[in-house]
C-alpha cells in the first residue's frame, strides 16, 4: 500500500478514493463505465462524487437524477465548498460548456482542482472522474489529483494504435507528478465475443502488455447497455434476461476493481 493510501485509511488525508476513467480517444466507453461505476459504488453503500470533465456531458445527462448546482468547471477556477453527503448516494458535479475554456496547461489551475478534490475527500468515499477525449489540462489535473486510473479501450484495429500513446501519458504523469497514482489497467470494452478479429486483437494485447498493463477482465458488447443508458438506469436494473446477464458481466469486472481499490 502506498503512503498516501495508508494516510487515507488512517483518516489523516480524508477517506475518499478518486478513480479517473481515462482515454484520450472518444467512443471507447468512458462515460458508460463511469456512470455504471457510480451506480455500483453507491449501491454498495458509498457516498459517490461524480465529476464530469467532458463538456459533451454524457455522464451528467445519464445521472441527471443526482445533479447538484455545482459545475465541475468551477473546481478549476476557485475554491469550491462541495456540500457533504451524509449517506450513500451519488452527487454529480456536471460537465458544461465552461469546461471548453479550461485549456491552458497552468499549474495554478491544476493545483486548484487538486485542492478542491482534497477538501471534498472528507465527505465522500469515492470520486468517479469522467474525462474528455483529449489529453489536455483537465485530464492532466484528474490524473494528478487521482489515486486510481482505469483506461477503457476498444479492440478495433485503429484503436489499438493509440494505446502506446495513452500508456505513455498515464505512466508519464505517474512518474513526473503523482507517484501515488495506481494504474488499474487497460480494460477492453465492447468486446465482440464472436469476432475472430477482435479475439486476435485481444490476444496480441495480452502478449504486448500482459497482466501489468491489462486489467484482468473484459466488458463484452451488449445492446442492453445502450438501452440501460437511455433509461438512465444501470444495466443490471433492467428486467430483461439479456440485461441481467450483461449486468453480471459488468459487475464481475467491478468487483475485481473494488478489490484492487480496497473498498471490497
Ligand atoms: N459494452 C458496451 N456494449 C454496448 N454498447 C456500449 C458498450 N460500451 C459503450 N457502449 C456504447 O458506445 C457508445 C460510446 O460510449 P461512451 O461511454 O459514450 O464512450 P466515451 O465516453 O469514451 O466517449 C455509447 O453509445 C454507448 O452506449
Ligand atoms: Mg464520454
Amino acid at each position: 500500500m502506498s503512503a498516501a493510501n495508508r494516510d487515507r485509511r488512517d483518516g489523516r488525508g480524508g477517506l475518499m478514493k478518486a478513480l479517473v476513467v481515462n482515454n484520450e480517444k472518444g467512443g471507447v466507453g468512458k462515460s458508460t463505465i463511469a456512470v455504471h461505476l457510480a451506480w455500483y459504488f453507491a449501491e454498495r453503500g458509498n457516498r459517490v462524487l461524480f465529476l464530469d470533465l467532458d463538456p459533451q456531458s454524457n455522464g451528467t445527462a445519464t445521472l441527471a437524477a443526482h445533479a447538484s448546482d455545482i459545475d465541475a468547471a468551477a473546481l478549476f477556477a476557485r475554491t469550491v465548498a462541495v456540500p457533504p453527503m451524509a449517506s450513500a448516494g451519488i452527487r454529480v458535479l456536471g460537465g458544461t460548456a465552461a469546461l471548453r475554456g479550461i485549456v491552458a496547461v497552468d499549474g495554478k489551475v491544476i493545483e486548484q482542482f487538486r485542492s478542491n478534490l482534497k477538501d471534498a475527500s472528507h465527505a465522500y468515499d469515492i470520486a468517479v472522474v469522467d474525462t474528455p477525449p483529449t489529453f489536455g489540462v483537465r485530464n492532466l489535473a484528474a490524473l494528478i489529483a487521482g489515486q486510481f486510473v482505469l483506461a477503457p479501450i476498444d479492440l478495433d484495429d485503429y484503436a489499438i494504435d493509440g494505446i502506446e500513446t495513452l500508456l505513455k501519458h498515464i505512466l508519464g504523469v505517474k512518474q513526473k507528478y503523482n507517484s501515488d497514482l495506481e494504474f488499474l489497467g487497460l480494460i477492453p470494452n465492447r468486446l465482440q465475443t464472436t469476432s475472430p478479429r477482435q479475439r486476435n486483437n485481444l490476444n496480441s494485447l495480452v502478449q504486448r502488455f500482459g497482466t501489468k498493463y491489462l486489467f484482468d477482465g473484459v466488458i463484452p458488447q451488449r445492446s442492453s447497455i445502450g438501452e440501460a443508458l437511455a433509461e438512465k438506469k444501470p444495466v443490471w436494473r433492467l428486467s430483461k434476461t439479456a440485461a441481467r446477464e450483461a449486468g453480471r458481466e459488468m459487475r464481475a469486472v467491478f468487483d475485481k476493481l473494488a478489490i484492487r481499490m480496497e473498498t471490497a
Side-chain angles (χ1 to χ4, degrees):
M1 196 185 330
S2 71
N5 279 346
R6 214 163 28 239
D7 279 1
R8 270 189 293 281
R9 294 240 298 202
D10 295 347
R12 275 180 278 146
L15 294 163
M16 184 178 81
K17 293 173 179 184
L19 166 59
V20 183
V21 184
N22 186 241
N23 183 337
E24 48 226 62
K25 189 174 179 301
V28 293
K30 288 183 294 297
S31 300
T32 302
I33 292 173
V35 299
H36 276 90
L37 281 167
W39 281 316
Y40 170 86
F41 283 122
E43 283 184 9
R44 290 168 58 115
N46 293 287
R47 299 162 300 168
V48 179
L49 185 63
F50 185 90
L51 306 185
D52 190 348
L53 304 187
D54 186 355
Q56 285 177 41
S57 64
N58 299 125
T60 304
T62 305
L63 297 175
H66 308 280
S68 75
D69 52 12
I70 300 174
D71 294 344
L75 299 175
F76 297 91
R78 56 185 164 82
T79 301
V80 176
V82 179
M85 230 176 156
S87 57
I90 303 170
R91 177 164 287 138
V92 176
L93 306 195
T96 53
L99 287 165
R100 292 188 209 279
I102 303 159
V103 283
V105 177
D106 175 341
K108 273 204 283 273
V109 167
I110 293 173
E111 179 50 30
Q112 182 72 77
F113 179 82
R114 204 186 62 79
S115 142
N116 278 320
L117 208 60
K118 188 157 179 275
D119 289 346
S121 74
H122 299 280
Y124 291 85
D125 303 302
I126 307 264
V128 176
V129 187
D130 191 10
T131 59
T134 41
F135 190 73
V137 67
R138 281 170 272 136
N139 291 44
L140 188 59
L143 294 174
I144 289 176
Q147 286 85 47
F148 297 96
V149 53
L150 180 71
I153 52 171
D154 72 38
L155 294 165
D156 280 349
D157 298 335
Y158 288 150
I160 303 283
D161 296 338
I163 291 176
E164 299 275 4
T165 313
L166 172 67
L167 275 177
K168 211 164 78 188
H169 282 159
I170 291 175
L171 299 173
V173 172
K174 179 176 163 70
Q175 194 177 28
K176 281 204 208 106
Y177 306 109
N178 182 6
S179 59
D180 289 324
L181 183 67
E182 186 172 334
F183 181 43
L184 296 170
L186 306 161
I187 170 118
N189 180 38
R190 303 191 76 159
L191 171 69
Q192 293 161 28
T193 46
T194 55
S195 154
R197 202 166 42 81
Q198 289 228 336
R199 286 255 160 228
N200 270 340
N201 284 347
L202 182 57
N203 284 338
S204 65
L205 280 183
V206 172
Q207 261 154 38
R208 221 156 100 202
F209 300 113
T211 51
K212 185 156 181 215
Y213 296 133
L214 210 54
F215 188 82
D216 176 25
V218 297
I219 301 176
Q221 162 129 340
R222 301 291 180 221
S223 56
S224 44
I225 291 177
E227 292 160 21
L229 292 175
E231 290 196 33
K232 301 184 165 58
K233 283 181 189 163
V235 66
W236 53 81
R237 288 275 165 252
L238 301 193
S239 53
K240 286 197 318 186
T241 309
R244 287 210 304 273
E245 178 54 28
R248 260 195 298 278
E249 291 167 345
M250 197 186 284
R251 286 206 296 197
V253 166
F254 291 176
D255 287 345
K256 285 185 189 168
L257 197 114
I259 289 169
R260 294 274 304 274
M261 293 173 66
E262 299 179 358
T263 66

